[in-house]
Amino acid sequence: ADIANDLQKEVYQHLAYYVPKIYCRGPNPAPQREDMLAQHVLLGPMEWYLCGEDPAFGFPKLEQANKPSHLCGRVFKVGEPTYSCRDCAVDPTCVLCMECFLGSIHREHRYRMTTSGGGGFCDCGDTEAWKEGPYCQKHELNTSETPEEEDPLVHLPEDMVARAYNIFAITLKYAVDILTWEKENELPGLEMIEKSDTYYCMLFNDEVHTYEQVIYTLQKAVNCTQKEAIGFATTVDRDGRRSVRYGDFQYCDQAKSVIVRNTSRQTKPLKVQVMHSSIVAHQSFGLKLLTWLGSVIGYSDGLRRILCQVGLQEGPDGENSSLVDKLMLYDSKLWKGARNVYHQLFMSSLLMDLKYKKLFAIRFARNYERLQSDFMKDDHDREFSIADLSIQIFTVPSLARMLITEENLMTTIIKTFMDHLRHRDIQGRFQFERYTALQAFKFRRVQSLILDLKYVLISKPTEWSDELRHKFLEGFDAFLELLKCMQGMDPITRQVGQHIEMEPEWEAAFTLQMKLTLVISMIQDWCALDEKVLIEAYKKCLTVLMQCHSGFTDGEQPIVLSMCGHSVETIRYCVSQEKVSIHLPVSRLLAGLHVLLSKTEVAYKFPELLPLSELSPPMLIEHPLRCLVLCAQVHAGMWRRNGFSLVNQIYYYHNVKCRREMFDKDIVMLQTGVSMMDPNHFLMIMLSRFELYQIFSTPDYGKRFSTENTNKDVVQQNNTLIEEMLYLIIMIVGERFSPGIGQVNATDEIKREIIHQLSIRPMAHSELVKALPEDENRETGMESVIEEVACFKKPGLTGRGLYELKPECARNFNLYFYHFSRAEQSKAEEAQRKLKRQNREDTALPPPALPPFCPLFASLVNILQSDVMLCIMGTILQWAVEHNGYAWSESMLQRVLHLLGMALQEEKQHLENLSEENVVTFTFTQKISRPGEAPNNSPSILAMLETLQNAPHLEVHKDMIRWILKTFNTIKKLRESSSASPVAETEGNIMEESSRDKDKAERKRKAEIARLRREKIMAQMSEMQRHFINENKELFQQTLEELDTSTSGVHENSPVISDAKLTALGPEQTRVAEHRQVVMCILCQEEQEVKVDSRAMVLAAFIQRSTVLSKNRNKITPDPEKYDPLFMHPDLSCGTHTGSCGHIMHAHCWQRYFDAVQAKEQRRQQRLRVHTSYDVENGEFLCPLCECLSNTVIPLLPPPRVLFNRLDFSGQPNLTQWIKTISQQIKALYLLRDEDCASKPEEMCIFLQLPEGFRPDFKPKNPYSESIKEMLTTFGTATYKVGLKVHPNEEDPRVPIMCWGSCAYTIQTIERILADEDKPLFGHLPCRQDDCLTSLTRFAAAHWTVSSLSAVQGHFCTLLASLVPNEKNGNLPCILDIDMFHLLVSLVLSFPAIHCQDFSGVSLGTGDLHLFHLVTMAHIVQILLTSSTEENGMDQENTNSEEEVAVLTLYKFLCQCTGSALKEISSGWHLWRNLKAGIMPFLRCSALFFHYLNGVPAPSEIQVNGTNQFEHLCSYLSLPNNLTCLFQENSDILNKLIESWCSNNEVKRYLEGKRHAIRCPKSGGDKSRAPTLCLVCGTMLCSQSYCCQTELEGEDVGACTAHTYTCGSGVGIFLRVRECQVLFLAGKTKGCFYPPPYLDDYGETDQGLRRGNPLHLCKERFKKIQKLWQQHSITEEIGHAQEANQTLVGIDWQHL
């Protein structure tokens, strides 16, 4: 001991000196430095001491000697996925971490995923948690054969054990002391020699103040920036505290007072403390020590055991003095970070050591009350409280059992719970009046105690000891006390006259009831397991119920009721006048136990032990009956003035979450009462409670009543009450599907629920689960039976999978099923009748056959044949027969018919199951055949039915009445056969037959009439149509013609030379006849032809920057003001896409519409500050017709090339000549330009030898009308503005480049979509895309007419110079850095600017063709230079065709030019194959481009997916099939060009491997709270948290929004992994959620993982999202979603 004391002294001195020197040296923490020094100076020596050698060797030795644990024990972080198995887990709190789950047998079972709230741990290896498969593959290896109870200390050397004791005792004591230290200015045994005088102002976390409040206060108090304040707040939220100021006492105290002053207005102020820096230092190190202890005990079970012993050793002060107790009891005063650390330590030590887990559980249970009281006052949530460990302890069955018997835990929990709910009324019932916020907060906390109770009871005992029985019943007593306080709480009185003023508080009571529902069910399950317990519990419950009743009946006068010769004494009580309560848990518990007596047969085995004879049935039924009458009266509208609180209570009373222990048990209680009393007496009491006794007990009262009461409301109310009462009788007799009431088992009950749910309509799995009650394991038991009663239909692309009821189950349908709501009942009736009509059956819905009652309830059926019942039915039928004088309703009659049917079914079953000696006591048929007594001799029920069968006012019920009469006859026959005396057929039967035939004939006649009428109408209609067409023949002709012209496939119907070869460009281009195009404006409905000189017509369009085709998402976008977009890089990192919905308007109509939208927006902005789904300031609007998001308009033009084409009268030059000519023209232009600046024009011609026919001074005239010119400029400027993200400027020379680029990019995206879907190139585009491409291409071709001629000429010269170099343009991108299709489009569309000054007779088409050939050749060279052909042994395909030989030759020539940097390749076949594959996208895009540019229809071969697509494309584009011919024909000039292309430095660098192809990096993130995956590039982001906000254009935005700007140029698609939902974003203000592509086995998505079923990727749905992205429809999709759902507009999307 001395050594230990000395050691402690030394350690403490060491710590006292060094800790303040290492920790907390300044205002900002420096964790890396602190940890490093602490490891060296403080922890290192302890590790040496512990190991007795260098810990680098010592710890690995320990680890090797250690048997690894078979428990996993991984502690979950917030948001981590956890898995539970619905087949094998003992209860739903048994969970596995992902690693164990994937290695366990449960992944093949019905598992359930959830995300952890943090703080639980993985139960892998715990045999008590799993029915089977407790180990995953990894932990299975660790279950060796050694005895369970072996002491782990035997594996450690003895001297080490002693050292470990010493060091653990010192360090743990130090940590506990310093963490629980309360004095601000001194330290426990750690006084420093030189004390520095610095302090911290420490801010603590609470769950009351919001982030915003804290940030705002901090900025004021310690004048820091918002960024710093956010940093402080984030740390406080994460760690529970953070110093916000460092300095002397006064300086810190001043900050403290500001914070307190600023936050104390609304709530209690933020907690702030000024702490001496050395205390903070020691606390920081204390936490470090706890973490260190946790890691050290990980090396060895022995060390873990020692730490547990040290922790639980009683200190000098006796009870509660161990270190563990100290920490636990100080829990609520610690900050979040400290709690987390020591909870983790408890989990990795005490809970992982089975011996000490038990001891710790006992400590926990003994301190339970104190811990819970602390938790009530604690300002942190449950997951940060030590109280939360109950879930780790109480759910272990053996521990729970032990704690109940040894520590009386069940009673403790309930007593603690009762202590916290102090408010009672005079009768001692709970009172929840007008909750203050604080009480509500406390009440929420108290509910966690119910959870603890649930955990304790969740696993049911198999064998009972006397001790367990005793303690359980003691707990049961306490529970009854609790229920007694609830019996009759929140009583209500009917409001008469005026409406209630204050809605009473009702939610608290119901919350309590809801939370207790499962506990009540579980307590019943426990009772059912042991006969002695059940008998005792039954007696106790009955006693308490008697006590509850004794106070109730005072002062109510007794009265006598008599009817039909029976009389009964009861009390006078009116639900509509006295107090009544919906909360009767004691009665309901007794009802539950009573059923168990029957189910477990205790009632028949030990009747002498049960107080059944003392029961007073009228007392038992009194309160449940009042409750049911209350529901009936509410339904009848008598309680309207009591407001919504009552409606809500009635709703929950029937709701699936509560009904098991409320409504269902009330029905059971009535069944119990009826089974023990004379049914006539019961019915009279019931009539009296329903306030209907008068009507049925006095003859002719009904007639008087309806004549005297002219008030419709009262009559209506009465009718409803009668209907409700009959419904209640149907329920009492018919609801026998609970085991113990009827002879059924539990699955029958679930099947019946499912059948009735599905008879309303087919339902998805999740809807069904919601409609069924869950047990304590969150199971409904549905999966086991669903296959028997339903078929599953898989979902399509949208929607979800549905279960449909099997047809053979329809006969079990009961129209008066007691769990139907009113609405469900009428839907179900409708659906079932419809089914019957479809199957050509009659539409009666007779009551289904029912299982027999259990003996205890057998006498229930007699209610159907009791005199009072017959009287009630007779009375109502009589009203129906003489239907004029009475107030009655069809529903009433329908219920009576149903009851008659039930009685007949019952009698039929009795007769069928008859054995010799039994006499049938159920003689319903005889009773209904008997007419009434004198004096009034009313007809028999049977006679009245036969009268009603033909009543014209009862069409609907005919089938049912017929079914009753038929069943009546069947029973008669059965009786006769059993009594064996044949009696002649009764009159009734013959009568029934004849009436049936009459009826059939009548029906047939009606159907025939209806058919004839239908035919006549149809004939009339078609005659009218023909007439109309004849009269308006011209109109119809015209419309047909227009249809021809306006469809997108304009050219298919045109008279083209069909057999000739179709060629899209060049001098050989197929001539197409001109088409008139007449279109209609959607705004003014006027028609107009599209002509060059007419008013402009426009299409609504949407331009967006796009990265859909991007191969490089990491490119930094250059400064838009200086960037030159002339050449597009082949990685297409960002293009400009134009889309359109295809709706056409006049330009001026659109202008007016847009102005109106703008004006409206300005008005709206003054009124409200929410975003609309479109942003007017950015020129956005919704298409007036389809509300599609648009931001500009494209002008409609006639084919433009026709306008610029001149006669071609000379022989057309070949490529070489043409290049020469063009080069000269370019040279001339350049010279002229230089000259313009230098000298006067007169001298010009002397210098310049102008090429023949070239007139550079010629200025072409613009052919377009003013309005078209204006629209060309509008659309051009819009493309420029969006594409470059700059302010509009129509003079900018980059405008035409952006227009050509958008045309090229849009064609490329469409080609890509078609290729991905394997669709042919032509004929499959939707109209809107086809119209959009036509307009876009024509626009781009015409745009040069409104641009500066010299600028466009300049662009052409520069573009051409990239292929045909000249002296002027140096420094152009190399051939590998140009996207050839963009180059082709720009060249072809800018060429007219030069061609218009050329009068030499060369046609425009020739230029197109030569440009196309030139670019194609450049593309071929590009492909050959970059194709990395892997020669795999497929050379046998070498057919040495001319193509292959030619390609090889070309390749060899390239090898020469590049100085043999290219790989040698011998196989021409590979090269040719690569070349064909590589050039296809370019050829397909070109075909689309020239088709839309020149309007030549596509040959039919390209309109289908056939073979030889390549050849057909070449022919359409006038290319030779062997592409290399191009090189051979023009070899003299091309060899020069190729040499110049290959000599570029960049090409050299590429070939030497210094430049790389580009990949998208995947960044690995740490665990973030809302991990979000970008579906475009696969980056993981952290959404919706302060830590990852960045600044974008001066605003703080979340990680996703920021990412869209780099990755998707403002548009993004994200998968929020933990919520399992897809997020679409566009810009900062637009976004929407989209159903995820993951479905469970029932074809449903699960957003937010609420159900947790296993999810699988649905390929089709994923394709659908992919398609939205490819088609650039994300923005449009968001627009539609926001228009449809206004709440989306209010979300701050930029913070995601």
Side-chain angles (χ1 to χ4, degrees), residues 883-956:
H883 61 100
N884 294 337
Y886 295 97
W888 63 283
S889 68
E890 286 200 24
S891 304
M892 211 185 283
L893 174 68
Q894 201 179 354
R895 285 168 170 72
V896 168
L897 294 177
H898 194 86
L899 278 162
L900 287 166
M902 285 172 83
L904 291 170
Q905 287 272 34
E906 204 62 52
E907 184 167 348
K908 190 167 145 204
Q909 273 168 314
H910 274 250
L911 286 168
E912 282 165 354
N913 303 338
L914 193 60
S915 54
E916 285 304 303
E917 58 278 1
N918 284 8
V919 184
V920 177
T921 51
F922 198 81
T923 53
F924 187 69
T925 40
Q926 293 169 7
K927 294 184 177 175
I928 60 172
S929 323
R930 224 178 296 148
E933 312 281 312
N936 45 357
N937 295 346
S938 54
S940 71
I941 290 183
L942 191 62
M944 288 194 275
L945 283 176
E946 292 185 338
T947 317
L948 287 174
Q949 187 181 204
N950 298 319
H953 60 282
L954 295 178
E955 256 322 299
V956 200

Side-chain angles (χ1 to χ4, degrees), residues 596-646:
L596 289 179
L597 293 180
S598 155
K599 185 178 165 185
T600 55
E601 304 192 348
V602 170
Y604 320 131
K605 288 192 217 159
F606 312 108
E608 67 288 349
L609 299 177
L610 289 168
L612 292 180
S613 52
E614 302 160 31
L615 289 177
S616 139
M619 178 202 83
L620 292 184
I621 63 171
E622 185 61 39
H623 284 96
L625 183 55
R626 289 178 188 180
C627 198
L628 288 158
V629 171
L630 170 69
C631 292
Q633 292 186 349
V634 169
H635 185 60
M638 294 166 64
W639 290 67
R640 268 198 207 110
R641 298 197 165 86
N642 282 57
F644 277 113
S645 60
L646 177 60

Side-chain angles (χ1 to χ4, degrees), residues 1140 1310 1313 1325-1334 1492 1671:
S1140 164
I1310 287 199
I1313 292 169
L1325 281 181
C1327 243
R1328 53 184 262 186
Q1329 280 182 352
D1330 193 73
D1331 290 347
C1332 173
L1333 280 182
T1334 310
Y1492 287 114
Q1671 292 176 342

Side-chain angles (χ1 to χ4, degrees), residues 795-1033:
L797 249 186
T798 51
R800 39 197 189 165
L802 294 176
Y803 280 109
E804 286 184 352
L805 191 61
K806 290 189 174 170
E808 64 269 22
C809 295
R811 61 162 195 273
N812 296 325
F813 173 72
N814 174 6
L815 179 55
Y816 293 101
F817 176 61
Y818 72 145
H819 288 156
F820 276 157
S821 67
R822 300 289 176 302
E824 287 170 340
Q825 187 186 10
S826 61
K827 276 187 202 150
E829 179 175 8
E830 182 69 16
Q832 291 308 308
R833 287 197 198 279
K834 192 168 155 193
L835 255 178
K836 290 207 154 193
R837 279 198 291 276
Q838 277 168 7
N839 301 339
R840 303 274 161 76
E841 300 169 23
D842 62 12
T843 58
L845 295 172
L850 297 171
F853 276 116
C854 292
L856 195 58
F857 290 92
S859 58
L860 255 177
V861 293
N862 291 326
I863 193 171
L864 290 172
Q865 54 167 355
S866 64
D867 299 340
V868 177
M869 188 71 234
L870 289 165
C871 164
I872 294 173
M873 296 202 284
T875 310
I876 293 174
L877 284 174
Q878 201 159 2
W879 292 346
V881 172
E882 313 170 19
H883 61 100
N884 294 337
Y886 295 97
W888 63 283
S889 68
E890 286 200 24
S891 304
M892 211 185 283
L893 174 68
Q894 201 179 354
R895 285 168 170 72
V896 168
L897 294 177
H898 194 86
L899 278 162
L900 287 166
M902 285 172 83
L904 291 170
Q905 287 272 34
E906 204 62 52
E907 184 167 348
K908 190 167 145 204
Q909 273 168 314
H910 274 250
L911 286 168
E912 282 165 354
N913 303 338
L914 193 60
S915 54
E916 285 304 303
E917 58 278 1
N918 284 8
V919 184
V920 177
T921 51
F922 198 81
T923 53
F924 187 69
T925 40
Q926 293 169 7
K927 294 184 177 175
I928 60 172
S929 323
R930 224 178 296 148
E933 312 281 312
N936 45 357
N937 295 346
S938 54
S940 71
I941 290 183
L942 191 62
M944 288 194 275
L945 283 176
E946 292 185 338
T947 317
L948 287 174
Q949 187 181 204
N950 298 319
H953 60 282
L954 295 178
E955 256 322 299
V956 200
H957 306 294
K958 256 196 189 154
D959 288 337
M960 185 66 186
I961 297 175
R962 191 174 314 111
W963 178 86
I964 290 176
L965 294 173
K966 196 169 114 202
T967 314
F968 180 80
N969 285 322
T970 317
I971 291 172
K972 257 194 138 66
K973 284 191 190 127
L974 269 173
R975 275 201 183 281
E976 284 149 12
S977 66
S978 63
S979 59
S981 55
V983 181
E985 292 277 311
T986 54
E987 192 114 343
N989 199 355
I990 297 160
M991 188 172 122
E992 188 221 1
E993 286 297 325
S994 62
S995 73
R996 179 126 136 252
D997 294 341
K998 256 193 241 152
D999 215 70
K1000 256 195 192 148
E1002 175 68 9
R1003 265 194 209 169
K1004 215 165 165 185
R1005 198 172 62 90
K1006 279 188 182 159
E1008 190 58 23
I1009 292 173
R1011 191 178 59 79
L1012 287 171
R1013 206 164 141 258
R1014 268 203 306 278
E1015 281 174 8
K1016 195 167 153 197
I1017 291 175
M1018 291 303 286
Q1020 274 175 341
M1021 274 168 66
S1022 68
E1023 177 57 34
M1024 276 153 70
Q1025 262 173 343
R1026 221 176 40 241
H1027 195 67
F1028 180 76
I1029 292 179
N1030 285 342
E1031 272 184 20
N1032 303 300
K1033 221 177 202 140

Side-chain angles (χ1 to χ4, degrees), residues 64-65 90 103 152 175 212 224 242 325 337 384 473 677 751 767 798 832 869 1064 1093 1129 1268 1276 1425 1439 1621:
Q64 261 170 336
V90 170
E212 277 68 28
C224 56
R242 167 81 160 88
D325 285 320
F384 305 114
L473 285 167
M677 60 196 286
K751 267 194 235 173
E767 293 177 285
T798 51
Q832 291 308 308
M869 188 71 234
D1093 49 3
H1129 193 282
I1268 290 183
L1425 284 174
T1439 48
Q1621 53 181 191

Side-chain angles (χ1 to χ4, degrees), residues 39 43 84 123 193 203 272 316 345 351 401 440 476 755 811 999 1006 1080 1117 1134 1153 1203 1456 1578 1606 1681 1689:
Q39 184 61 43
L43 299 174
S84 180
D123 292 306
I193 303 97
L203 173 65
V272 193
L345 182 63
L351 296 184
R401 222 49 56 67
F476 186 78
I755 288 174
R811 61 162 195 273
D999 215 70
K1006 279 188 182 159
M1080 182 195 274
T1117 35
C1134 183
Y1153 167 73
L1203 302 174
Q1456 286 168 20
T1606 55
V1689 178

